[in-house]
Amino acid sequence: MSALEEKTFHLLILAVSIAFALVLQPLYGAIVWGSILAIVFAPLYRRMLHVMRQKRSLAAAVTVALVLVLVILPLIIVVALLVREVTGAYSRIESGELDIVGFFRRMFDLLPSWMADLLERFGLTDFGAVWERSIGTLLKGSQFVAAQAFVLGHNMLDFGVSLFVMLYLLFFLLRDGQELSLRIRNAIPLPADQKVALISRFTIVIRATVKGNIFVAALQGALGGLIFWVMGIHAAVLWAVVMAFLSLLPAIGAALVWLPVAIYMVMTGDIWQGIGLTAYGVLVIGLVDNFLRPILVGKDTKLPDYVVLISTLGGLTFFGINGFVLGPVIAAMFMAVWSIFGASRQRAEEEHSASGNG
């Protein structure tokens, strides 16, 4: 093949690849999550394959069914409960049953004088005005939701199509993933050792990110929601979801929710409840991250807390809800690629130095 023919062929590959990416773009979320679930649940598929006596289609179907029952359906239920609690809380606020302004005023009266003076200095004691601005924002949001209500059926249809595509893709990625991985490995124009290291690192990073970030966040949120429900705190599911997201913050995480509640309980006379919530938060919710994350992630793939935070926030901004996992994965792959590149350069320099000395 001449140089002109090779360049033309490379341009053709690039053009066709871009066109194919544009075709898949409307379903990129389903494709991304189907691929992530296939990587995460590949060990389960291999175990099912052994149990099913190497019947690949049956093992893949059973694995998809387990993912649907154990992961997707519970997530749908949690989202439905969250929507119901948010709607109920908004109705209680609108009817006056839930007095947010009065709550903040009572909290302000319980604060030490130096803290109250500090809040007054920053103009944060006019709770009525603050709440009016907040409720105005909420009303605008509710008007937007109402304006979009007529497309609910269409959105549900989109969700159903995306869910079907994700599960359909998951089945084939589980069943034919090994052959597909081999094709990708052969097509990547890199040295063999770098290809092996890159694909291996990518698989490890995906599993570590999902297990270490999403699973730990979900577990911390679930534990926080459970204790809120046991103590009779309203909107336990809503606070559980908030704690799950905040658990990505280094060191403090879910404590941003349960600690103020515990302090409020102590200051309003529910001393033992406040102490119990504090003990539960420190000994149960707080230690989940310290004990489980190193086990699930491992030392070699653990990202620094600040990288997890900024990559998650950046991912959510750029990719939407999919950025919850895509952001940390891209950050981890960025660090992995540069690590492989650095190792290759160091090895090349050592070989050059050895040949020069010889």
Side-chain angles (χ1 to χ4, degrees), residues 27 30-31 34 159-171:
L27 292 170
I31 295 170
F159 173 77
V161 170
S162 298
L163 180 61
F164 172 77
V165 170
M166 184 185 71
L167 295 175
Y168 187 78
L169 182 63
L170 175 60
F171 171 83

Side-chain angles (χ1 to χ4, degrees), residues 3 9 18 147 170 228 341:
F9 186 65
I18 293 175
L170 175 60
F228 275 33
F341 175 73

Side-chain angles (χ1 to χ4, degrees), residues 89 98 103 109 140:
L98 187 60
F103 168 77
D109 292 338
K140 289 180 182 178

Side-chain angles (χ1 to χ4, degrees), residues 283-297:
L283 299 176
V284 179
I285 301 176
L287 292 184
V288 164
D289 186 75
N290 296 330
F291 280 100
L292 276 186
R293 196 183 296 272
I295 296 173
L296 295 174
V297 178

Side-chain angles (χ1 to χ4, degrees), residues 164-294:
F164 172 77
V165 170
M166 184 185 71
L167 295 175
Y168 187 78
L169 182 63
L170 175 60
F171 171 83
F172 285 102
L173 288 177
L174 288 170
R175 194 190 70 173
D176 305 325
Q178 191 171 0
E179 292 84 351
L180 181 61
S181 176
L182 183 61
R183 288 184 182 180
I184 294 174
R185 185 181 304 177
N186 292 334
I188 296 176
L190 289 173
D193 59 334
Q194 290 186 356
K195 287 193 290 186
V196 171
L198 187 61
I199 292 177
S200 174
R201 191 76 172 183
F202 178 74
T203 304
I204 293 172
V205 162
I206 288 285
R207 289 177 184 158
T209 301
V210 172
K211 291 189 298 182
N213 293 335
I214 294 182
F215 179 75
V216 170
L219 183 57
Q220 286 187 307
L223 291 171
L226 176 63
I227 193 64
F228 275 33
W229 176 74
V230 169
M231 290 187 167
I233 299 171
H234 292 293
V237 176
L238 172 60
W239 292 120
V241 173
V242 173
M243 280 187 273
F245 275 98
L246 290 177
S247 67
L248 294 169
L249 294 173
I252 45 178
L256 288 174
V257 175
W258 62 258
L259 184 57
V261 174
I263 294 173
Y264 176 76
M265 287 178 171
V266 172
M267 296 175 71
T268 54
D270 296 326
I271 297 175
W272 288 111
Q273 275 193 306
I275 293 174
L277 179 57
T278 302
Y280 183 90
V282 173
L283 299 176
V284 179
I285 301 176
L287 292 184
V288 164
D289 186 75
N290 296 330
F291 280 100
L292 276 186
R293 196 183 296 272

Side-chain angles (χ1 to χ4, degrees), residues 84-99:
R84 189 179 71 177
E85 286 202 354
V86 170
T87 305
Y90 182 77
S91 299
R92 292 174 62 210
I93 293 171
E94 201 173 34
S95 65
E97 181 184 353
L98 187 60
D99 186 8

